[in-house]
Amino acid sequence: MPRINKTAVLVLLIAASSIFLLFQLYYYRQYASKNGLYVFGGKGSLSGNDAQRHLIKKFLGLVHKYSLSVFLVDSVSLDLLSQDALLLKESKLKEPHCIFLCTHREFTTFALLGNLWKYDASLLEAAEERGMEVLEIRGKDPRLVSMDDLAGNDIPLHFLFKMGSRLVHLVVLYERSGNYLWHGPLRLKPSVDRKFAPFRRLDFGRYAGAYNRPELALTMLDGLDVRIPRNFSQFLREHSQARFLECPYKEARAFYQLYPDDLSPEAMDFRMKAKSLLHLAARTLNELAVPFWLSSGTCLGWFRQCSIIPYSKDVDLGIWIKDYRHDITQAFQKAGLPIKHKFGKVEDSLELSFQGLDVKLDIFFFYDEGDIVWNGGTQAKSGKKFKYVFPRFQLCWTELLELKVRVPCQTLDYVQANYGPDWNVPVKAWDWKSSPPNVQENGAWPVREWDEVIQVY
């Protein structure tokens, strides 16, 4: 009888055992996926994407129980989406794959429509019963803050739901009087554990933000029913430019204590007409998709006194020259605002003025020139040109006269450039050619160009 090779037998046994173990592992994964179980990593914790999906599934189940209107606002998740992805029929997959909701980050962000929600503390208790740690961040309600009452009430702004090292960040969006959605900044009290979440890396909270109300669509992502903005590309564009500045009510109140507000019938009538003109101008430019901001005296009024300066007699807006459209004049005239004058040309010092009801609308076009930006001015009778120089700035949202509008984020620098260090002192005698500290003479238009660059109607 031939002698058996012990080494060969041992190799065969090891191979058979390995094949059997691999078969068991495959069978277990198939069984787990069909029965909603999850593969655990070391130390009894869910691994990677499974942990995030597990938390999101629990979170969505919780908010569904409380009938909360939440939708996905996570910038990375929305960026992964495409129309083709939305058409993907996940029911055809053998098991749900966490592709969109589980990103390279340890958190996923959702938003809650605050006007459709009544605060219920039992929500937090129910989350903790489901194994989630919850952190609630509160702040002042700006809708109740005014120069008469600077205190305001605390409202919930952010919630963080945590399991292990994974998070769901829930941002509360409140409706403001300008018919837009607002979320507050995420400000931590000294007692909050700074290690609870990667606060500096969260999508929402570094600043307050403002958004148009999105139309929502219900879809299935990674095997879960999730609401998303129907036009998520537009939402992402808004998110990149959403920073919001609150009107400085405290400083405005101090201003009015020194310089009492003009409550005369003439001043009240001007404010009413200026508000109507600003709303009409905003509607016209928004329909053209032309971004604009409060400039000159209108910006000063918002920053200094949270209102329109009653003796300014006009409304001032700024627009980047790159956003100029040749149909702007036609659009304003169609809206009932005839053109009053056109100075300059697209290549240099363009300025448009339209006549409202006893209130003039001035639109200044701004030019980018390296470290500075500027807008031009033209004296009609002489053809002299002027240049108003500003430091570079970005644009933020704010609210003025129940309207969501933009202002320079670096408002103080902008105002000081135009009005000097004493910008907080009212000046009624103002010469646009010499009073601004940032004005520079900029030559003169050749007489042969006057018909083009000096048009008064």
Side-chain angles (χ1 to χ4, degrees), residues 15-231:
S17 299
S18 299
I19 292 171
F20 180 71
L21 288 172
L22 289 172
F23 175 78
Q24 283 188 313
L25 179 60
Y26 172 78
Y27 177 80
Y28 175 73
R29 287 181 63 86
Q30 295 297 314
Y31 176 82
S33 66
K34 290 178 181 178
N35 291 276
L37 302 177
Y38 295 88
V39 181
F40 284 81
K43 300 182 180 179
S45 62
L46 289 169
S47 62
N49 289 357
D50 286 334
Q52 189 68 13
R53 186 180 182 279
H54 182 57
L55 170 59
I56 293 172
K57 186 176 182 180
K58 277 184 171 288
F59 167 77
L60 292 175
L62 176 68
V63 298
H64 178 73
K65 178 181 177 181
Y66 281 81
S67 302
L68 301 185
S69 181
V70 304
F71 59 99
L72 183 69
V73 294
D74 192 274
S75 62
V76 175
S77 295
L78 292 179
D79 195 46
L80 291 172
L81 292 175
S82 67
Q83 294 302 322
D84 290 338
L86 290 177
L87 296 175
L88 181 66
K89 302 297 184 182
E90 293 198 43
S91 60
K92 294 182 179 180
L93 298 175
K94 293 182 179 179
E95 57 179 302
H97 294 263
C98 201
I99 300 170
F100 302 107
L101 300 175
C102 305
T103 66
H104 61 277
R105 306 186 297 185
E106 63 267 51
F107 60 87
T108 306
T109 313
F110 290 83
L112 166 65
L113 294 175
N115 62 310
L116 302 178
W117 170 60
K118 184 177 180 181
Y119 183 81
D120 186 348
S122 67
L123 169 70
L124 310 186
E125 297 172 2
E128 292 173 350
E129 290 173 358
R130 286 165 169 77
M132 292 180 267
E133 298 178 72
V134 185
L135 176 63
E136 178 183 353
I137 305 295
R138 301 178 74 89
K140 298 296 182 185
D141 187 349
R143 299 168 298 176
L144 302 178
V145 175
S146 68
M147 280 175 285
D148 297 324
D149 182 9
L150 298 177
N153 295 327
D154 276 354
I155 54 174
L157 300 177
H158 301 264
F159 293 93
L160 291 160
F161 298 84
K162 182 177 181 181
M163 290 185 71
S165 62
R166 299 288 167 164
L167 291 158
V168 166
H169 179 197
L170 181 63
V171 183
V172 187
L173 295 174
Y174 292 95
E175 187 166 340
R176 297 282 293 259
S177 58
N179 194 30
Y180 63 94
L181 300 177
W182 168 91
H183 72 78
L186 198 158
R187 299 289 180 261
L188 301 179
K189 294 182 178 180
S191 58
V192 173
D193 180 6
R194 265 55 180 177
K195 296 181 180 179
F196 186 88
F199 294 106
R200 292 182 180 276
R201 294 195 288 113
L202 297 178
D203 278 342
F204 295 76
R206 184 177 181 185
Y207 306 108
Y211 296 82
N212 294 322
R213 178 184 292 277
E215 182 183 353
L216 301 180
L218 180 64
T219 188
M220 180 174 284
L221 297 178
D222 304 332
L224 300 173
D225 289 332
V226 180
R227 284 184 173 82
I228 63 171
R230 183 176 296 277
N231 190 342

Side-chain angles (χ1 to χ4, degrees), residues 329-341:
T329 299
Q330 181 182 358
F332 274 107
Q333 294 189 140
K334 186 178 180 181
L337 298 176
I339 189 165
K340 186 175 178 65
H341 70 242

